[in-house]
Amino acid sequence: MTLSNSLRTGPDERGHFGQFGGRYVAETLMPLILDLERHYEAAKVDPAFALQFDDLLEHYVGRPSPLYFAERLTEELGGAKIYFKRDELNHTGAHKINNCIGQILLAMRMGKTKIIAETGAGQHGVATATVAARFGLPCTIFMGARDIERQQPNVFRMKLLGAEVHSVESGSRTLKDAMNEALRHWVANVSDTFYIIGTAAGPHPYPELVRDFQSVIGREAREQILKREGRLPDLLVAAIGGGSNAIGLFHPFLDDREVQMLGVEAAGHGLDKEHAASLAGGSPGILHGNKTYLLQDEDGQITEAHSISAGLDYPGIGPEHSWLHEIGRVRYESATDIEALEAFKLVCRLEGIIPALEPSHAIAAVMRIAPKMAKDQIIVANLCGRGDKDIFTVAEALGVTI
Amino acid sequence: MTRFASAFGKGRPVIAAFVTGGDPTPSHTSAILDALVEGGADVVELGMPFTDPMADGPAIQLGNLRSLGAGTTTADLFAIARNFRARHPNVPLVLMGYANPMIRRGPDWFAHECTSAGVDGVICVDLPPEEDDDLGLALRAAGVDLIRLATPTTDASRLQVVLNGASGFIYYVSVAGITGLQQATSDSIAGAVARLKAATSLPIVVGFGIRTPEQAAKVGAVADGVAVGTAIVELVGKHGANAAGPVRDYVASLRHAMDAASKENVA
């Protein structure tokens, strides 16, 4: 990274954030990836593209999402003032739709006529099926067979929206295998198919463009907190699977040295047991088109991730996070399944909001940290999804039959 | 003369035969590799198993899983390679796989292991020329060829990128897709090979989708070699520990058809 007076200028022209990122795909895909990069570079500077994107975010997605002062949670924890960035109020119930709007506009600019995507929890699948329906493009969603079993409501939503849900039976039958299968399908249908990747990972330019589309979260939060409090927050907190909601919140603040940032990985059953914390428990490697921190063994075989949240259950992380971790700009911690469930219950009870299990990990970290901060300090936590989809998982974890 | 040069200098199209290392177990691989050579393979491709083989079809995915399920390690693969080299001093050996297992201990470590095990070339499916620094520099410095791939989506300007720094041979992936499923038409392959030949003097080996003796003979008539993998891995899947015999017979059937076709051409 040579343009070092800003942390917001990355990646470099080869798609690298420090040693991370890049383009590690089969040669068949390289011309398409390079073409996507050219189209994105043109779209970025095209006012018509921005206008259409902003218009859809406002009138279709429902942006700006509110910045909400979580008064009772703040009282309960007895420290810093806690704000929620309410991206769970978006159409389809999570931040994923921001990116899908951007990518489907790109797909149409490129003249692609078919859409594919992979999904874990189903939020990205639902968001992709939604934009595909909105613009009338046929859509296939690749989803691990195990995730299909545990996320039935989202599978049904995708089908209602007209998407074909392709059950992936290979490997661990979860998100990682769905991504492999989507890549296989893409290689075989490269001429007419656009792959909407759901997180800020994959081959360049995906980590960059997903981040840019999600940065609306951080831009709004910055403006909203300045209006409400007259200053920037002391701490931003967001959950990390691939890390798209986190990079979306963080990126507009990266050059504000006084703003601290915390990414929260899924520690599953614990960092010494099965987990999905790629930074805390992984090492740099190459998977799904990019170099980044991965859960892997000493021979470079990818090991299985575990999280109670299907959306965080992935053995990698977006490459920009790996870089921000190595240069120390963002701090990364983790929260276990049990801690996330506690946070989930607390937010339900105190704030009348049912959060998804993904942001419940972020709230779990807030519960640890907020009490140690001064009462005049400010935390903004990203509430990136709502928990309707998770009630069955939570019920099971709490031993309740519904 | 390198092993590649002598293999491609026999005046007949080569057979580059692929098998997943460690499938069904590491101890069975040597007999299967011997069977490839006995059947008439000129180049042996030893697949490095990976948990996430994104460019492979169901048959090779299963081969990878069988191998990893048997506990195959990177050390096992290099032991298999080293033993192969001792038994077959003149047959070029190629390691084929994905970037992560290759770079796990660093490119220099991998290049050194390749050299000491007698590996002639490496095919890394998910390492385009743009990321050559991760592996290509170290391999070439150690005298190992990093074999580049060209595909139906590779246009003229992209081809120059692929050929820059290429060595050993060019692997032409004849279908835009994953291993083992579709087949390209003979005409499209002939056209593509002609375009590649106009741009490089490296030998052209055509792979993906070739499984019958008839197809191998047709492709062999226009290219310097044919690569066959899925059909062999299927035989290993079917016959397991007893796969060597069927594998030998299968490769011999390809060899026979290709030799017959080249005799016809001469006549």
Side-chain angles (χ1 to χ4, degrees), chain A residues 167-212:
Chain A
S167 175
V168 176
E169 304 286 346
S170 58
S172 57
R173 299 152 75 236
T174 59
L175 178 56
K176 151 180 104 76
D177 310 286
M179 199 153 179
N180 291 338
E181 206 61 32
L183 284 165
R184 288 185 187 111
H185 181 91
W186 199 26
V187 170
N189 297 275
V190 72
S191 61
D192 63 358
T193 299
F194 190 98
Y195 181 8
I196 297 187
I197 291 184
T199 194
H204 176 65
Y206 280 101
E208 176 187 352
L209 65 88
V210 174
R211 173 200 74 198
D212 291 350

Side-chain angles (χ1 to χ4, degrees), chain B residues 21-23 25-27 29-30 33 46 72-73 75-85 87 93 117:
Chain B
D23 174 25
T25 75
S27 59
T29 299
S30 289
L33 295 180
L46 179 63
T72 305
T73 64
D76 291 332
L77 285 167
F78 279 114
I80 290 166
R82 199 167 275 117
N83 291 335
F84 176 86
R85 179 53 64 229
R87 295 193 308 283
L93 180 65

Side-chain angles (χ1 to χ4, degrees), chain A residues 23-24 27 184 286 291, chain B residues 53 56 100 105 131 134 158:
Chain A
R23 283 177 288 233
Y24 298 87
E27 181 58 34
R184 288 185 187 111
I286 294 168
K291 185 183 286 181
Chain B
D56 284 298
N100 202 50
R105 296 178 177 86
E131 308 292 354
D134 281 297
R158 177 84 196 145

Side-chain angles (χ1 to χ4, degrees), chain A residues 150-151 308-309 337-338 340-346 348 354-358 360 386-402:
Chain A
R150 57 181 176 174
Q151 301 286 338
I308 191 170
S309 156
D337 290 352
I338 289 170
L341 275 170
E342 287 306 312
F344 176 95
K345 288 192 286 185
L346 193 68
C348 288
I354 302 178
L357 284 169
E358 289 83 356
S360 295
R386 60 177 170 247
D388 312 32
K389 70 181 173 68
D390 291 322
I391 56 170
F392 303 100
T393 307
V394 172
E396 197 187 327
L398 299 178
V400 177
T401 311
I402 51 174

Side-chain angles (χ1 to χ4, degrees), chain A residues 14 16 21-31 34 170-171 176-177 179-181 183-185 187-190 283-289 291 294 296-303, chain B residues 49-57 61 65 68 72-75 99-101 103-105 125-131 133-134 149-154 158 162 173 175-178 182:
Chain A
R14 290 167 58 220
H16 291 233
R23 283 177 288 233
Y24 298 87
V25 293
E27 181 58 34
T28 307
L29 291 177
M30 279 304 291
L34 295 167
S170 58
K176 151 180 104 76
D177 310 286
M179 199 153 179
N180 291 338
E181 206 61 32
L183 284 165
R184 288 185 187 111
H185 181 91
V187 170
N189 297 275
V190 72
S283 51
I286 294 168
L287 181 70
H288 294 153
K291 185 183 286 181
L294 300 171
Q296 56 181 326
D297 70 13
E298 67 279 8
D299 275 343
Q301 305 296 348
I302 307 303
T303 52
Chain B
F50 184 43
T51 40
D52 296 80
M54 285 97 62
D56 284 298
Q61 286 179 52
L65 286 181
L68 292 171
T72 305
T73 64
T74 302
N100 202 50
I103 61 143
R104 181 67 174 112
R105 296 178 177 86
V125 177
D126 55 347
L127 192 88
E130 281 80 354
E131 308 292 354
D133 290 1
D134 281 297
L149 303 150
T151 77
T153 60
T154 310
R158 177 84 196 145
V162 169
V173 174
V175 290
I178 52 179
Q182 313 104 312

Side-chain angles (χ1 to χ4, degrees), chain A residues 203-225:
Chain A
H204 176 65
Y206 280 101
E208 176 187 352
L209 65 88
V210 174
R211 173 200 74 198
D212 291 350
F213 294 143
Q214 292 294 2
S215 287
V216 65
I217 301 170
R219 283 197 304 274
E220 286 176 5
R222 203 169 190 285
E223 203 173 291
Q224 288 165 324
I225 199 74

